Amino acid sequence: MNARSIRRRRRRLEVRRAVRRTAGAVVATQLLTVAGLLVFDSQRRKDRPDKEFPHQQGGPVPVPGGDVRIYTFGEHLFEEMLADIDAAQERIYFETYIWKDDAIGQRFRDALVAAHERGVRVFVVYDTFANLVVPRRFFQSLPEGIHVKRHPLVTGGVAFLSPRHWGRNHRKLLVVDETAAYLGGYNIGQDYANRWRDTHARYAGDMVVELENAFIDYWNIYDGSPALPQPRRRTWSRDMRIHRNLPADMVYPIRNMYLEAIDRASERVWLTTAYLIPDDAFIRSLVNAAERGVDVRVIVPHFSNHIVADWLSRTLYERLLRGGVRLLRFENAMVHAKTATIDGLWSTIGTANIDRLSLAGNYEMNMEILDADVAARMEEVFALDSGNCTELTLDEWTRRPLISRVTEGILSPWRPLL
């Protein structure tokens, strides 16, 4: 090997070393930033007083083929879910992302066990990853005869490298006989009863079978035992439609549902989301609506339960604010709702956040509703929530401290992951 070749090889090695060191420094800086944010957030939570947020209980809203009741306070929702479980006669399909081993979680467990003991067929689905901190005995002690499916931590074996196997089961669903079906953002636990602001809906009538079918499809795709028969009848509702993300089939319709509805808006688009980390197409859709004169407002938590998600969200605030989108920050409680209402006609209530994990990653489910009375109720809820918000202005945002801008820049490469 001549001297020139040796020098070239040394230069290549030096470049590679420099790249590795730079990459290592960047990752180390990001991890240190995250660690600092977690320490800050832990202290903030200790110092934050618990305050009850405004809420009101509304009655059922009649819709063609049934009715819809919207819940915005966990205690009200959980009491009615438990009452329907207690009244079950034939079957219960229960699916949740998080199911905590606390007073509320035990009440649901006891109600399901009691239903099983009186002869009701009970089927349960929960996500393994989301419940890693829950003692295994809480689930293992469910009596034999209650059919349980854990959404696995890892699926597909070697094929796990495919995105088809990355999705968590983020759905929250309860179906009782042909009587009632519940869908929304609420997990099962004490914190969600009175400390988190979320939205759920109870459906009676034609849509119960549609939600039943959604549970059955998931159960059978993941080889739940015993296999469940398909419903004998389905509906062709013109007013309501379920959209389901199915990572196993690489099908993600909820994102397109939102984009299509926002693109049709002519008066107002009011969104509430726990985590606002939209992709470029979603941002463009919101900004385009605002630029054509639509009143676009988004309620987000001022501080969510995931501080890193908060900071990743903030990397997009200036673009949204400059585009005319109004950002309202919910105060003194975690807002976890996944809802929207548009033009006094269109609404959605479901499990999907406005982020990549929900719109192109997890098993999710949203109900799309075309009904003026439901939209009116959703607008009432949004107005009530807005009274518990502070609006972030463009002027305030552009004057944020330099350290905030630096932190956002350090974390911004992680945005496509969430």
Side-chain angles (χ1 to χ4, degrees):
M1 184 180 293
N2 59 37
R4 182 177 297 177
S5 297
I6 292 172
R7 286 196 297 271
R8 282 201 300 265
R9 183 179 179 184
R10 284 176 178 170
R11 282 198 295 269
R12 286 197 297 269
L13 290 172
E14 288 170 358
V15 169
R16 289 172 186 167
R17 266 193 233 106
V19 169
R20 285 197 297 268
R21 287 171 182 168
T22 301
V26 169
V27 172
T29 301
Q30 291 173 333
L31 293 176
L32 286 171
T33 301
V34 169
L37 290 175
L38 292 174
V39 170
F40 164 78
D41 190 53
S42 176
Q43 187 60 48
R44 179 190 63 80
R45 294 190 191 198
K46 290 178 183 177
D47 297 339
R48 184 187 68 189
D50 289 333
K51 294 184 179 179
E52 187 169 297
F53 48 85
H55 57 86
Q56 61 185 23
Q57 189 171 10
V61 179
V63 295
D67 62 60
V68 179
R69 184 165 186 168
I70 298 165
Y71 301 86
T72 61
F73 195 61
E75 289 181 358
H76 301 158
L77 169 69
F78 293 156
E79 290 302 323
E80 299 219 7
M81 290 174 74
L82 289 165
D84 277 324
I85 291 173
D86 290 343
Q89 298 179 11
E90 297 180 10
R91 61 190 177 277
I92 295 170
Y93 299 146
F94 178 65
E95 185 174 359
T96 187
Y97 183 58
I98 296 173
W99 186 3
K100 296 207 171 182
D101 180 14
D102 58 18
I104 293 294
Q106 287 287 350
R107 287 187 65 191
F108 273 84
R109 183 190 178 285
D110 292 346
L112 292 171
V113 170
H116 162 69
E117 290 175 346
R118 66 175 184 269
V120 177
R121 300 176 71 211
V122 178
F123 297 82
V124 172
V125 172
Y126 68 93
D127 187 88
T128 300
F129 175 78
N131 294 282
L132 286 175
V133 298
V134 179
R136 292 289 297 274
R137 65 179 181 276
F138 178 74
F139 301 106
Q140 292 173 343
S141 62
L142 287 168
E144 186 177 352
I146 290 183
H147 308 289
V148 179
K149 180 66 185 177
R150 293 184 304 120
H151 186 84
L153 191 62
V154 177
T155 66
V158 176
F160 175 72
L161 296 175
S162 166
R164 294 175 184 270
H165 300 286
W166 296 353
R168 308 316 313 159
N169 187 335
H170 194 242
R171 309 193 322 180
K172 298 96 176 171
L173 175 66
L174 171 67
V175 183
V176 179
D177 295 335
E178 296 179 357
T179 305
Y182 294 80
L183 175 67
Y186 275 99
N187 292 296
I188 305 299
Q190 185 62 53
D191 282 349
Y192 316 119
N194 50 28
R195 296 184 62 189
W196 285 36
R197 162 67 190 91
D198 214 328
T199 302
H200 229 75
R202 179 188 190 273
Y203 300 89
D206 289 348
M207 295 313 293
V208 174
V209 69
E210 297 302 298
L211 289 164
E212 176 185 30
N213 180 72
F215 182 94
I216 290 170
D217 282 351
Y218 170 85
W219 182 269
N220 290 340
I221 285 172
Y222 269 92
D223 298 322
S225 179
L228 292 170
Q230 295 291 327
R232 290 189 298 274
R233 63 173 186 85
R234 297 280 303 281
T235 63
W236 288 100
S237 173
R238 298 179 181 179
D239 308 287
M240 288 186 280
R241 183 180 177 189
I242 297 169
H243 296 270
R244 294 179 281 160
N245 285 358
L246 297 172
D249 296 330
M250 297 295 285
V251 173
Y252 301 99
I254 297 175
R255 175 177 174 274
N256 192 61
M257 174 200 74
Y258 268 111
L259 293 176
E260 181 66 23
I262 294 167
D263 192 50
R264 291 173 181 267
S266 60
E267 297 179 16
R268 54 194 172 277
V269 173
W270 293 352
L271 294 167
T272 302
T273 185
Y275 314 109
L276 180 65
I277 315 176
D279 59 24
D280 286 344
F282 209 106
I283 295 172
R284 187 168 60 247
S285 181
L286 292 173
V287 169
N288 286 347
E291 289 177 344
R292 65 177 183 266
V294 176
D295 175 16
V296 182
R297 307 183 197 182
V298 184
I299 291 178
V300 295
H302 196 157
F303 296 100
S304 81
N305 62 320
H306 293 302
I307 192 167
V308 175
D310 291 347
W311 282 87
L312 291 175
S313 177
R314 290 167 189 168
T315 65
L316 307 170
Y317 280 3
E318 187 161 342
R319 183 175 170 188
L320 291 167
L321 291 167
R322 288 193 183 280
V325 176
R326 296 176 62 186
L327 296 177
L328 309 177
R329 298 176 298 187
F330 199 81
E331 302 289 353
N332 301 315
M334 170 60 186
V335 62
H336 192 248
K338 303 94 166 58
T339 61
T341 187
I342 296 178
D343 284 356
L345 177 62
W346 182 94
S347 303
T348 187
I349 302 169
T351 70
N353 298 303
I354 308 301
D355 59 21
R356 191 206 64 80
L357 287 176
S358 279
L359 298 183
N362 291 336
Y363 288 85
E364 306 279 4
M365 185 160 30
N366 270 53
M367 183 74 78
E368 181 181 29
I369 307 170
L370 284 167
D371 185 273
D373 292 334
V374 172
R377 172 67 180 137
M378 294 295 292
E379 290 184 352
E380 291 173 4
V381 170
F382 192 93
L384 186 65
D385 288 339
S386 297
N388 194 57
C389 293
T390 55
E391 182 166 359
L392 178 64
T393 65
L394 179 60
D395 180 63
E396 177 186 354
W397 188 243
T398 55
R399 289 188 287 107
R400 69 195 185 279
L402 177 61
I403 186 62
S404 296
R405 298 171 183 267
V406 171
T407 302
E408 293 160 17
I410 291 171
L411 295 179
S412 61
W414 289 13
R415 183 165 65 90
L417 302 177
L418 299 179

